[in-house]
Amino acid sequence: MTLSKALRSISHTLSIAEIDDASTEAELLLCHVLGISTTQLYTETERALTSVEINNLQRLIQRRLLHEPVAYILRYCEFYGIAFYIDERALIPRPETETLVEKATEIYHHSPSAGSTIADIGTGSGALAISIALALPQAKIYATDISASALQVAEINCRRHQIDSQVELLQGNLLEPLPKPVDMIVANLPYVRDSELQALSPEIINFEPIIALGGGKNGLDKIQQLLEQIPGKLNHGGHFLLEIGQYQGEAVTSLISNHFPQASIELTPDLSGIDRVVKVGV
Ligand code: GLN
């Protein structure tokens, strides 16, 4: 079988299984198994696949047909233009979370006194902490997670990007493991409502760590806990940035004003126009 034929056939198999982005995923799987670039995929169209390559491809396609996310199959994902290792121990970084990186760098550049120490709370794969660290090489980053196994993934990524000394990984609940108050807190905490969990796609609910998604009855349990822990952990004049879910803007804003009546609060939409990031100045 030639490359071009394999590409068409995989793409067809995935699309009849109603897998979104079937042709992109077919490209990814094929490039991964053959160890080639997308350019090669389209310039070496007549290259013949070996029987070993065909077997390997079939195994990966079977996994994808069982709804395993392609990022877990490839042990790879991209976030903020950066390549990350990923596996089932951590949530796959979502493109909408990139808004948090942009906001964090904006705050850092606009408030010279703030932002020299930043904490990423619930870091998972470390994608957010590492992207911020690479964008702000002068900042010291703490990255916490309650899940020791998620932190193993973050550790792999820190080593891969050679920033072990800039990013310190700490295991524990939210802000508890921080050794000292910080200038900025960023957090993509679990915020999915209990009632919405079952409606998530099989890719999410059957494969991703539920601990990284479920936020209790109204989705705001973890955000509420974080707000309770902030006093004493965030320096005066500091900021915190939270990712939130659809329709949570109003509820989160009122929770924040209850805890911090003087705070300035700003909502920023993601690329789909959904309020996604809450920026708070205290
Ligand atoms: N945005 C995630 C999803 O698509 C939820 C992430 C979270 O709860 N922080 O399910």
Side-chain angles (χ1 to χ4, degrees), residues 112-127:
S113 61
S116 53
T117 52
I118 302 174
D120 172 23
I121 307 303
T123 195
S125 65

Side-chain angles (χ1 to χ4, degrees), residues 94 96 188-192 212-213:
R94 311 288 204 259
E96 57 268 27
N188 173 20
L189 295 172
Y191 54 67
V192 180
L213 293 161

Side-chain angles (χ1 to χ4, degrees), residues 89-92 122 124 145 188-192 208-215:
R89 291 174 289 182
L91 193 81
I92 300 165
D145 208 293
N188 173 20
L189 295 172
Y191 54 67
V192 180
E208 298 203 81
I210 194 86
I211 189 178
L213 293 161

Side-chain angles (χ1 to χ4, degrees), residues 173-176 185 189 220-234 240 242 255-256 258-260:
N173 186 32
L174 302 171
L175 300 172
E176 279 169 12
I185 292 168
L189 295 172
L220 300 177
D221 285 6
K222 297 291 163 201
I223 290 179
Q224 163 112 33
Q225 254 190 53
L226 181 87
L227 295 175
E228 285 159 12
Q229 291 185 9
I230 284 180
K233 296 284 189 182
L234 184 63
F240 62 91
L242 307 176
L255 257 184
I256 295 169
N258 288 343
H259 280 81
F260 306 96

Side-chain angles (χ1 to χ4, degrees), residues 125-137:
S125 65
L128 185 52
I130 293 168
S131 304
I132 294 173
L134 291 172
L136 306 174

